[in-house]
Amino acid sequence: MQGQTQSISFDGREIRLTTGRFAPQAGGSVLVECGDTAVLVTATRSTGREGIDFLPLICDYEERLYAAGRIPGSYMRREGRPPERATLIARLIDRPMRPLFPSWLRDDLQVVATCLSLDERVPADVLAVTGASIATLLAGIPFNGPMAAVRVGLLGDDFVLNPSYREIERGDLDLIVAGTPDGVVMVEAGANQLPEQDVIEAIDFGYEAICELIKAQQNLLKDLGIEQVKPEAPDEDTTVPAYLKKNCTKAISEVLKKFEQTKEERDQALDAVKAEAAEAIAALKEDDAVRKAVAASPKLLPNSFKALTKALMRDQIVKDGKRVDGRALDQVRTISAMAGVLPRRVHGSGLFQRGLTQVLSTATLGTPSDAQEMDDLHPNTEKLYLHHYNFPPYSVGETRPMRSPGRREIGHGALAERAILPVLPAKDTFPYVVRVVSEVLSSNGSTSMGSVCGSTLSLMDAGVPLKAPVSGAAMGLIKEGDEVRILTDIQGIEDFLGDMDFKVAGTEKGITALQMDMKITGLAVKTIAEAVNQARPARLHILEKMLEAIDTPRE
């Protein structure tokens, strides 16, 4: 079997990339090795389905226990449903990859990373993320890469690049940064109440290392004689967008400037404008270009209307400094918090509300035998603190069948869990297993940070002696050319129509968890620093409101 192996010297370690040997029928494949960790990553493209108006991208991370010389402990003795950590790594691959594909691409894309061997000194997740970029480039899929990811730890006063599992556990920071030549595209971090400046410096440190990996990918393509496919948008018919811009701009702008409206009233008003436009188009002559275009593609009108609304909302924020609810860019919505809202049969409960987002969290204490046993590749085999997040359809006024938690629910629960872990009491002084469940009762932006706040309330109500209470806030961003506006405490429409979702959780002392996702191809570290620093007064304001409900753990 033929193949080509290239080595990259990276921070004193050797990363080996083997192409052309494995998975010959995949669009692109690469075996990424470092130490004794080996991850096979493939990227495949197939013809898109008719009528879809989104990018059908699937990113999977597969764990095989033979990678650690183990046999699965289940009855069937084979891997079944992916464990939680595998789902989180799949999301870790998806989040930096998704914004780098062109928005017009409608082909089915699938990235599969399979961990074939695991060295405890070399976690596989960041290798899988970087491998996803390489496999996609080798597959010739239109892609605004290269993209790479690194992990940054903090041992004492020194940053450590791609630390081992043991170093991660000993350190005060576990931060993953992904980036492109345009800037940072994703951040995921857990920290031990670190000051904002330390986290910013860690992101900058990580991005410098990412630039080395990006150059290595570019050199790999050059050596293989592969030319990167640069996305070129197909010609679009602007007939309908131009019609809506001419006939609906004034009406939409008037709706967006009625700051006293509730979310429901604003949605109804926008739907009414869209319905009027649809009626006007239906009344046009049969041979009119606008009517023919809408008839040929039923999704063209709603998609074009949504794009116009997005452009007008962003323009209002950039030029007028006003959001759809009238708040200033750095203003937090109305906060209310309660502790002990359920009968004492429930060990602890807390109700947190920010604007229209409402989360009910409950805490349950158990014995050491209640610890969750983890049947995955991670060296830690049990969990003593569990956070589960539920997002029922009624929380957004919809109806749909209730199912088991999806990737989003697992990811939000893990983020809220990570935010609380640094402030939990030590096992030798508090030998209980703790489970927190956050029920999202109403959603209009940042339910994960609402879950962090609700968790703190319920744990204090249950008498858990936290080292410090934790609150969280979600930041957004609008970028139009060189103009950048950072938004504090984003609501649903700002999350959907903006360019960034940046969640920061922490105590008065510092940050405990951080997560950033982009919809653009990269952001400068300087802008990220502004968002991190702008989140601090918001976090402290929210924390102050929470402490009015309960300021110390109950006895």
Side-chain angles (χ1 to χ4, degrees):
M1 288 177 282
Q2 299 298 314
Q4 183 171 346
T5 300
Q6 296 199 4
S7 295
I8 304 170
S9 180
F10 184 69
D11 192 47
R13 293 180 181 175
E14 182 185 50
I15 297 177
R16 301 177 299 282
L17 306 175
T18 302
T19 58
R21 180 177 299 166
F22 302 96
Q25 294 192 76
S29 67
V30 60
L31 182 72
V32 185
E33 297 175 272
C34 186
D36 284 339
T37 294
V39 184
L40 175 65
V41 190
T42 63
T44 309
R45 175 186 186 183
S46 61
T47 305
R49 292 157 281 169
E50 284 291 329
I52 62 171
D53 58 351
F54 61 93
L55 173 65
L57 170 66
I58 301 173
C59 294
D60 290 313
Y61 178 79
E62 297 289 313
E63 284 192 343
R64 300 288 185 258
L65 291 191
Y66 58 69
R70 290 166 48 197
I71 294 174
S74 64
Y75 177 78
M76 299 299 293
R77 292 295 187 269
R78 71 171 296 166
E79 293 84 1
R81 179 180 176 178
E84 181 179 296
R85 288 194 182 109
T87 299
L88 295 175
I89 296 175
R91 281 173 53 86
L92 203 65
I93 298 170
D94 185 297
R95 287 162 46 202
M97 290 291 288
R98 190 171 293 274
L100 302 182
F101 292 106
S103 59
W104 46 263
L105 192 61
R106 295 293 177 264
D107 290 346
D108 284 291
L109 306 177
Q110 185 170 25
V111 175
V112 180
T114 307
C115 185
L116 303 179
S117 176
L118 183 67
D119 182 341
E120 290 190 6
R121 296 167 299 175
V122 186
D125 47 9
V126 291
L127 298 181
V129 177
T130 302
S133 170
I134 299 172
T136 301
L137 293 169
L138 295 175
I141 299 170
F143 179 64
N144 291 303
M147 178 272 296
V150 297
R151 172 180 265 108
V152 179
L154 179 63
L155 290 173
D157 295 328
D158 298 322
F159 291 124
V160 180
L161 206 56
N162 289 345
S164 66
Y165 284 114
R166 187 171 297 176
E167 288 172 329
I168 293 169
E169 195 170 324
R170 283 171 35 217
D172 290 323
L173 177 68
D174 178 14
L175 179 140
I176 295 176
V177 190
T180 68
D182 293 337
V184 176
V185 75
M186 185 209 70
V187 178
E188 176 81 27
N192 188 15
Q193 302 186 70
L194 283 184
E196 278 76 5
Q197 188 58 37
D198 288 358
V199 175
I200 293 165
E201 290 176 5
I203 295 172
D204 192 34
F205 177 81
Y207 184 67
E208 288 180 8
I210 284 169
C211 293
E212 294 181 35
L213 291 176
I214 288 172
K215 289 179 183 176
Q217 291 182 54
Q218 292 168 337
N219 293 334
L220 174 65
L221 292 179
K222 185 177 179 181
D223 293 343
L224 294 175
I226 296 175
E227 188 172 341
Q228 182 177 350
V229 178
K230 292 293 183 180
E232 292 185 10
D235 293 333
E236 290 187 13
D237 185 355
T238 59
T239 305
V240 174
Y243 175 88
L244 292 178
K245 186 175 182 179
K246 178 181 178 181
N247 293 278
C248 298
T249 295
K250 183 178 178 181
I252 295 174
S253 297
E254 288 176 353
V255 172
L256 295 178
K257 284 181 168 61
K258 292 180 179 178
F259 304 134
E260 72 284 354
Q261 292 181 120
T262 64
K263 175 180 180 291
E264 184 178 5
E265 290 170 342
R266 182 171 56 251
D267 291 345
Q268 289 175 349
L270 290 173
D271 286 342
V273 175
K274 183 168 63 176
E276 288 177 11
E279 290 177 6
I281 291 172
L284 296 172
K285 294 180 180 180
E286 288 189 9
D287 61 348
D288 187 275
V290 174
R291 181 172 175 178
K292 288 167 68 175
V294 171
S297 177
K299 293 184 179 180
L300 181 58
L301 176 60
N303 288 346
S304 299
F305 186 87
K306 188 185 299 179
L308 178 59
T309 304
K310 174 179 179 178
L312 293 173
M313 187 207 76
R314 292 165 65 93
D315 191 63
Q316 179 175 294
I317 290 173
V318 171
K319 292 184 177 179
D320 302 336
K322 282 293 185 180
R323 300 156 75 169
V324 291
D325 57 0
R327 282 184 293 152
L329 302 188
D330 60 352
Q331 188 176 347
V332 178
R333 287 172 288 176
T334 303
I335 303 290
S336 64
M338 297 174 63
V341 294
L342 297 179
R344 296 312 300 178
R345 186 176 292 269
V346 178
H347 295 172
S349 60
L351 183 66
F352 178 81
Q353 184 161 347
R354 186 198 317 102
L356 200 56
T357 294
Q358 186 185 67
V359 180
L360 173 67
S361 293
T362 61
T364 307
L365 308 185
T367 64
S369 63
D370 290 316
Q372 181 181 3
E373 296 183 8
M374 310 299 291
D375 193 19
D376 58 20
L377 288 177
H378 198 280
N380 290 340
T381 58
E382 67 175 17
K383 283 177 68 175
L384 303 179
Y385 177 70
L386 302 88
H387 183 278
H388 296 147
Y389 167 100
N390 295 319
F391 191 88
Y394 62 75
S395 65
V396 287
E398 296 178 357
T399 59
R400 63 175 181 268
M402 301 288 282
R403 297 284 187 258
S404 57
R407 286 187 175 187
R408 178 183 177 277
E409 286 82 0
I410 292 172
H412 279 38
L415 176 61
E417 180 177 295
R418 189 172 216 177
I420 299 294
L421 277 172
V423 301
L424 290 174
K427 183 180 178 180
D428 54 353
T429 60
F430 192 81
Y432 297 96
V433 172
V434 182
R435 179 186 184 228
V436 173
V437 179
S438 290
E439 309 283 357
V440 178
L441 305 183
S442 178
S443 171
N444 187 26
S446 190
T447 53
S448 60
M449 293 298 94
S451 298
V452 171
C453 300
S455 297
T456 297
L457 294 170
S458 65
L459 288 167
M460 293 174 73
D461 183 52
V464 178
L466 298 179
K467 297 173 185 175
V470 180
S471 63
M475 312 297 289
L477 177 136
I478 304 291
K479 188 175 187 294
E480 292 289 349
D482 294 332
E483 296 287 338
V484 175
R485 299 290 183 271
I486 296 171
L487 311 180
T488 295
D489 181 26
I490 55 174
Q491 56 183 318
I493 190 171
E494 293 168 335
D495 183 7
F496 182 72
L497 301 179
D499 296 320
M500 177 184 78
D501 181 13
F502 197 176
K503 299 158 185 169
V504 187
T507 65
E508 186 176 359
K509 181 180 177 183
I511 292 172
T512 58
L514 184 149
Q515 185 180 89
M516 185 195 80
D517 294 311
M518 302 294 300
K519 296 178 187 175
I520 53 180
T521 57
L523 197 64
V525 175
K526 178 183 176 183
T527 306
I528 295 173
E530 292 175 9
V532 172
N533 288 323
Q534 189 170 313
R536 180 173 174 80
R539 286 195 298 105
L540 297 182
H541 169 71
I542 294 168
L543 185 59
E544 183 182 340
K545 295 294 183 182
M546 292 165 54
L547 294 179
E548 291 176 5
I550 180 169
D551 57 358
T552 56
R554 300 197 194 282
E555 295 294 332

